[in-house]
Amino acid sequence: MSILDDARALAESGPLCDACLGRVFADKSFGLTNAERGRSLRVAAALDADEPFEPVETTDCWVCEGRCAEFDEWAERCAESIDGVEFGTYQVGTRTPPLIEENELLLREGAGLDEDAGELFKSEFNREVGKRVGQLTETEVDFSRPDVQFTLNLEDDDVETRVHSAFVYGRYRKLERDIPQTEWPCRECDGSGYQGKQPCDYCGGSGYLYDESVEQLSAPVVLDVMDGVEALFHGAGREDVDALMLGTGRPFVIEVKEPRRRSIDVEQLEGDINAFAEGKVEVEGLRLATYDMVERVKELDANKTYRAEVEFGDDVTEEGLEEALAELDGATVEQYTPHRVDHRRASLTRTRDVYSATGELHDARHATVDIHGAGGLYIKELVSGDEGRTNPSLAGILGVDAVVTALDVVAVEGEEETFEDEEFFKQGE
């Protein structure tokens, strides 16, 4: 059968609008809408048979039940649902009523055509409404991770609008000790601040073990600037609460849910955060990032460099320290889960490499040690030995007790590639 014969067979099924007729032949020719295809086929069939041309009103169509006349209306409803929200990309999806899906199958079966011939109603509705949304909002469609997702629920006559999160990447330095990376709820009152009807004695009624965190000193500023509903902090690992984070800082991402603003001045934001943190925390290198940057920050293999102030339980010579550090330099270390974290870490032996180990003895009982090692290397235990759980260790090699009295992280870098890959940043930002 010819395409005109197929068009006639389809048209004989009942009142069929141009879009529903043309949609069956959506894979034929290019540069035409389905409605243009359908009208062209209807005209060509009438000419070929020398019969009167009989148009069909879209509202009378038995397949789409007039829905193909509603593209403009749904696009306007999408635009209205996002009024006041700044976005650059979007995607449109459609939940097709079961009756229309059934009508589509019956239409093709009745004409002896494959059930997937051409294009489905849902695809056309997505595209036609989507084109109009772009024109109304001056934004672009994005089929991967758009700023906004519109879902058209035709049966319920409803537009579901989802504003996806925005992401800000940067590096932070923590300049004061006893500040955790993220909020630390009190374990005694589960963060409520109360034990029964009385204020919690353990946290003083605050609900937190620490009054401030890197998250609390940065995320609220980003949340306010982007006018979102919630901010989440994602770090590339975390330093101990009593450790400083210095040098080039630790990579992080702040995720803002349902932001109303996306085009922000990141340099101004950087200054605002640093002013808000009052010297306790500093951030730098802020950039708008993609959704995938969260996974990158959390999953990219990273190495770290530490500086530790060490106190020995007995006298140590400069030569003895140099020899011990030389033995650690390049060593593969076995570390059984440390005592201090065994309440929240699985009990197992981990193997980590020490890339370099250097140090300086200040007096017979005190030294500064610099360790560069693989991610996950426990530095305090590398120094102390943790009662034999870490081997080799500085204390074990020297044969004296050793303890870290102050610890600083001075670098966190990707093991084989940098965190700051342009692929993971918003282009043009």
Side-chain angles (χ1 to χ4, degrees), residues 172-175 179 214 217 273-274 277 279-283:
Y172 75 81
R173 286 186 289 273
K174 190 179 76 178
L175 307 178
I179 296 178
V214 176
L217 293 170
I273 293 174
N274 290 338
K280 301 167 187 174
V281 168
E282 290 180 348
V283 300

Side-chain angles (χ1 to χ4, degrees), residues 118-129:
E119 181 181 37
L120 295 179
F121 170 86
K122 177 166 63 176
S123 299
E124 178 175 20
F125 216 88
N126 292 344
R127 183 181 62 257
E128 293 300 327
V129 174

Side-chain angles (χ1 to χ4, degrees), residues 86 101 107 126 209 215 270 326 328 386:
E86 184 178 270
E101 292 181 342
L107 173 67
N126 292 344
L209 291 183
E215 177 183 22
E270 189 173 299
L328 285 179
D386 195 27

Side-chain angles (χ1 to χ4, degrees), residues 218-251:
S218 58
V221 181
V222 182
L223 179 64
D224 181 62
V225 169
M226 291 190 143
D227 195 11
V229 300
E230 184 183 6
L232 303 176
F233 191 98
H234 308 280
R238 62 177 68 216
E239 66 282 344
D240 291 341
V241 172
D242 60 354
L244 300 182
M245 181 65 242
L246 304 175
T248 56
R250 185 182 296 275

